[in-house]
Amino acid sequence: DAGVTQSPTHLIKTRGQHVTLRCSPISGHKSVSWYQQVLGQGPQFIFQYYEKEERGRGNFPDRFSARQFPNYSSELNVNALLLGDSALYLCASSLDGQNYNEQFFGPGTRLTVL
Amino acid sequence: DAKTTQPNSMESNEEEPVHLPCNHSTISGTDYIHWYRQLPSQGPEYVIHGLTSNVNNRMASLAIAEDRKSSTLILHRATLRDAAVYYCIRNTNAGKSTFGDGTTLTVKP
């Protein structure tokens, strides 16, 4: 079975632009979470989605939004990019998003904002 | 939500046990404690999780303090492949996962 996949692998944008990152969960998993990992720090929680509904949100500005589709894949959108948005964006899937579930992480999308 | 607190780095000799500590003093009664590890250029990998009781699996053991304000990940015999950044995480029942900044474990042959 394929693991969590993310696209694109790398992305370069300029300040003020918009970006969309994509994630496909493991087959059978209904929950997807998004994280931002700045170099040298631990991942910071952005969103959790379960059955297409937002279940949890971290301390990120409204420029960050996400959605989950009927096939449980997900998109993370970031508007009005800032230099500080440069980071590795990780997607993780789990069976149903319960706090005792194991999360399976994808390899991430490396976003560079110039 | 307060981050978990971990030492920046630890060293171990190969084949010796390693105890990685974590403080989560603001944990609530329904938060689970998870541990993940991350190798360079990879996403984090699940290690173990628990709520109140100590837990064992094929990778490691998790010892949780009675007041749940701290926990310790135990690798019984460190190997070179265990060298990674280890993260201690609070998972709330509101769908939030709070990572600390992790402990970089170096394993010396």
Side-chain angles (χ1 to χ4, degrees), chain A residues 34-46 60 64 76 84-91 105-111, chain B residues 37-44 85-87 99-102:
Chain A
W34 286 95
Y35 297 84
Q36 180 195 67
Q37 186 172 26
V38 172
L39 201 61
Q41 296 182 18
Q44 299 303 304
F45 174 77
I46 310 175
F60 280 81
F64 289 77
L76 176 70
D85 295 331
S86 295
L88 179 68
Y89 287 85
L90 293 161
C91 171
F105 283 82
T109 293
R110 173 72 61 189
L111 173 65
Chain B
R37 66 184 185 184
Q38 188 175 25
L39 296 170
S41 302
Q42 294 186 22
V85 180
Y86 285 79
Y87 292 103
F99 280 67
D101 287 331

Side-chain angles (χ1 to χ4, degrees), chain A residues 20-94:
Chain A
T20 298
L21 309 181
R22 295 177 175 83
C23 172
S24 291
I26 290 172
S27 177
H29 285 191
K30 298 182 178 180
S31 180
V32 168
S33 295
W34 286 95
Y35 297 84
Q36 180 195 67
Q37 186 172 26
V38 172
L39 201 61
Q41 296 182 18
Q44 299 303 304
F45 174 77
I46 310 175
F47 290 111
Q48 186 195 67
Y49 275 77
Y50 172 64
E51 288 284 11
K52 303 182 290 297
E53 298 290 327
E54 181 185 301
R55 281 195 72 237
R57 171 185 283 258
N59 296 325
F60 280 81
D62 292 343
R63 299 185 296 109
F64 289 77
S65 64
R67 55 181 177 167
Q68 187 177 32
F69 299 100
N71 67 353
Y72 303 109
S73 67
S74 179
E75 283 183 354
L76 176 70
N77 295 284
V78 187
N79 292 323
L81 284 168
L82 303 174
L83 296 179
D85 295 331
S86 295
L88 179 68
Y89 287 85
L90 293 161
C91 171
S93 77
S94 66

Side-chain angles (χ1 to χ4, degrees), chain B:
Chain B
D1 291 320
K3 278 185 176 183
T4 59
T5 306
Q6 302 175 250
N8 287 337
S9 62
M10 292 186 69
E11 280 190 356
S12 172
N13 293 318
E14 200 175 8
E15 302 295 315
E16 290 186 355
V18 182
H19 291 234
L20 299 169
C22 178
N23 285 319
H24 27 78
S25 58
T26 61
I27 197 167
S28 72
T30 55
D31 292 352
Y32 272 77
I33 301 152
H34 287 240
W35 284 79
Y36 284 72
R37 66 184 185 184
Q38 188 175 25
L39 296 170
S41 302
Q42 294 186 22
E45 172 193 35
Y46 170 81
V47 177
I48 200 166
H49 77 277
L51 182 63
T52 56
S53 304
N54 295 343
V55 183
N56 300 294
N57 68 17
R58 63 176 178 80
M59 290 180 72
S61 295
L62 176 60
I64 301 172
E66 199 168 331
D67 63 5
R68 298 203 339 116
K69 293 184 177 181
S70 65
S71 62
T72 301
L73 177 70
I74 303 163
L75 306 179
H76 296 286
R77 293 178 65 189
T79 70
L80 297 178
R81 288 178 296 176
D82 290 324
V85 180
Y86 285 79
Y87 292 103
C88 167
I89 301 149
R90 288 173 49 196
N91 271 11
T92 77
N93 60 5
K96 293 182 74 169
S97 296
T98 304
F99 280 67
D101 287 331
T103 297
T104 300
L105 175 65
T106 302
V107 180
K108 296 182 287 184

